[in-house]
Amino acid sequence: MGVDCHHTESAQPGLEGAALASAVAAAASKCERTRERLTPPRRRVLELLLEADGPMKAYDLIAAYGQDGEPAKPPTVYRALDFLERLGFAHRIESLNAYVPCRMEGTSHRAAFLICECCGTAEEFEPDFSPQFAAAEAAGYAVRTVTLEARGLCPACKVEAEPIAT
Amino acid sequence: MGVDCHHTESAQPGLEGAALASAVAAAASKCERTRERLTPPRRRVLELLLEADGPMKAYDLIAAYGQDGEPAKPPTVYRALDFLERLGFAHRIESLNAYVPCRMEGTSHRAAFLICECCGTAEEFEPDFSPQFAAAEAAGYAVRTVTLEARGLCPACKVEAEPIAT
DNA sequence: CAGGTTATGTTATTTCATAACGCAAGAGAT
DNA sequence: ATCTCTTGCGTTATGAAATAACATAACCTG
């Protein structure tokens, strides 16, 4: 998806096997604690996000949904994504119309990504929004969520784009 | 658009008359300096953005395009928006699928908005991205653009939501 | 088990954006 | 001036992303 280069897109290798099961189990237990229900469609979409090597488009998820090859109906996946976002298990990347599993522990009301315009990977990082928050509150705003999306080149693609020079 | 409340949406009053003409003229002269062409469709879309009271959806622009009521064809408006974004005269707000004229002078490769989820206004502010930039560069990224979208309640809607408390 | 609430299944539609192609207009070289 | 290269426009059609609406099913709680 959106791959402009020939890199093997391995910057964010997907989970498999035990690691995948463990990540899903962690989400499940977190749900139990908060009396939320990790129902089959929600679990399935979370699995697909965790297995993926990079951001997944909604219709990629729809196509990949059925283990037998049967696609899901769009609302099935969009509802699951709403749930996963609400619980902080996934983030939507607005500038890509795509979704990633949350790679950070902790609070879910902020997310920041470094998006490579060459290979399409999106790396989540822990932002320090304090200056922006302060500015917003100073202006009288009550901030609920903040998202930051920085676009550019990841280390690998950057090297390739500048073969020799500075 | 996206208005959940009954406020007269006047947080970002649109330009008219002389102010509008002056803003368009400023853009035109900036284009001349850089050998860019502010062609009729581009000028028209810029006018519509400047006249608007808040973020405009692409299809709102399409519908409003013709002074005689004739809508534009989608590519006409999307191309104009691409141009205006490239020159820094407009910004796309990803989380709204909407567009606003740039309210800040200067560089165009970063934009930050305070978006009111109640009345739909989007206020541009000057961000201090230095911590995020530093984090990104430390991770080896070459950042090209940064966008930040903070969602919450503007001062007016905040008061209304908390009639008494705190 | 009655009754409210939350989640799903399904059909259809709406909203957002771009591909592809031919034509027109401007800029620079000779 | 006019060639021609590039850039932008007009047009048709299609693709991609997301949601509306409504019926059914599952869960919880008293």
Side-chain angles (χ1 to χ4, degrees):
Chain A
M1 163 212 337
V3 176
D4 295 341
C5 65
H6 54 278
H7 301 148
T8 61
E9 186 179 330
S10 58
Q12 293 286 342
L15 305 183
E16 348 171 17
L20 173 61
S22 148
V24 173
S29 81
K30 208 166 171 186
C31 283
E32 271 178 36
R33 256 175 275 136
T34 54
R35 292 254 209 310
E36 298 278 357
R37 296 162 57 197
L38 189 64
T39 60
R42 292 166 175 179
R43 173 185 296 260
R44 177 61 181 146
V45 171
L46 177 58
E47 278 175 9
L48 289 170
L49 290 175
L50 290 166
E51 285 168 3
D53 291 333
M56 288 279 279
K57 300 271 205 176
Y59 275 71
D60 294 340
L61 294 166
I62 286 167
Y65 183 86
Q67 279 96 342
D68 54 359
E70 274 301 291
K73 304 290 172 60
T76 301
V77 164
Y78 280 106
R79 286 165 178 162
L81 288 170
D82 287 345
F83 171 85
L84 295 172
E85 284 193 87
R86 183 164 59 80
L87 276 281
F89 296 142
H91 299 294
R92 172 180 163 80
I93 301 184
E94 300 285 351
S95 60
L96 296 177
N97 290 351
Y99 303 84
V100 290
C102 179
R103 310 277 182 188
M104 311 291 297
E105 302 299 322
T107 60
S108 61
H109 59 293
R110 60 224 166 100
F113 294 94
L114 296 168
I115 302 162
C116 180
E117 294 179 316
C118 173
C119 69
T121 57
E123 180 177 337
E124 185 171 0
F125 71 100
E126 177 66 26
D128 174 9
F129 284 146
S130 33
Q132 284 88 354
F133 255 94
E137 310 262 323
Y141 272 79
V143 175
R144 192 181 56 80
T145 69
V146 182
T147 66
L148 182 145
E149 299 181 9
R151 307 180 62 97
L153 295 178
C154 73
C157 294
K158 182 172 125 189
V159 166
E160 180 166 294
E162 304 176 351
I164 311 166
T166 264
Chain B
M1 167 209 336
V3 176
D4 297 340
C5 67
H6 54 278
H7 301 147
T8 63
E9 186 179 329
S10 58
Q12 293 286 344
L15 305 182
E16 348 171 19
L20 174 60
S22 148
V24 173
S29 82
K30 207 165 170 186
C31 283
E32 271 178 35
R33 256 174 277 135
T34 54
R35 292 255 208 313
E36 298 279 355
R37 296 162 58 197
L38 189 62
T39 60
R42 293 168 175 178
R43 173 186 295 260
R44 177 62 181 146
V45 171
L46 177 58
E47 278 175 11
L48 289 171
L49 290 175
L50 290 166
E51 285 168 4
D53 291 333
M56 290 278 278
K57 301 271 205 175
Y59 274 70
D60 294 339
L61 294 166
I62 286 167
Y65 184 86
Q67 278 96 340
D68 54 358
E70 275 300 293
K73 305 288 172 61
T76 301
V77 164
Y78 280 106
R79 287 164 178 161
L81 288 171
D82 286 345
F83 171 84
L84 295 171
E85 284 193 87
R86 183 164 60 79
L87 276 282
F89 296 143
H91 298 294
R92 172 179 164 81
I93 300 184
E94 299 286 351
S95 60
L96 297 177
N97 290 351
Y99 302 84
V100 291
C102 179
R103 311 276 183 189
M104 311 292 296
E105 302 299 323
T107 60
S108 61
H109 59 292
R110 59 221 166 103
F113 294 94
L114 297 168
I115 300 162
C116 180
E117 294 180 317
C118 174
C119 68
T121 58
E123 181 178 336
E124 185 171 0
F125 71 101
E126 177 65 27
D128 174 10
F129 283 146
S130 33
Q132 284 88 355
F133 256 94
E137 311 262 322
Y141 272 78
V143 175
R144 191 180 59 78
T145 69
V146 182
T147 67
L148 182 143
E149 301 182 8
R151 307 180 63 96
L153 296 178
C154 73
C157 293
K158 182 171 125 189
V159 167
E160 182 166 292
E162 304 177 353
I164 310 166
T166 264

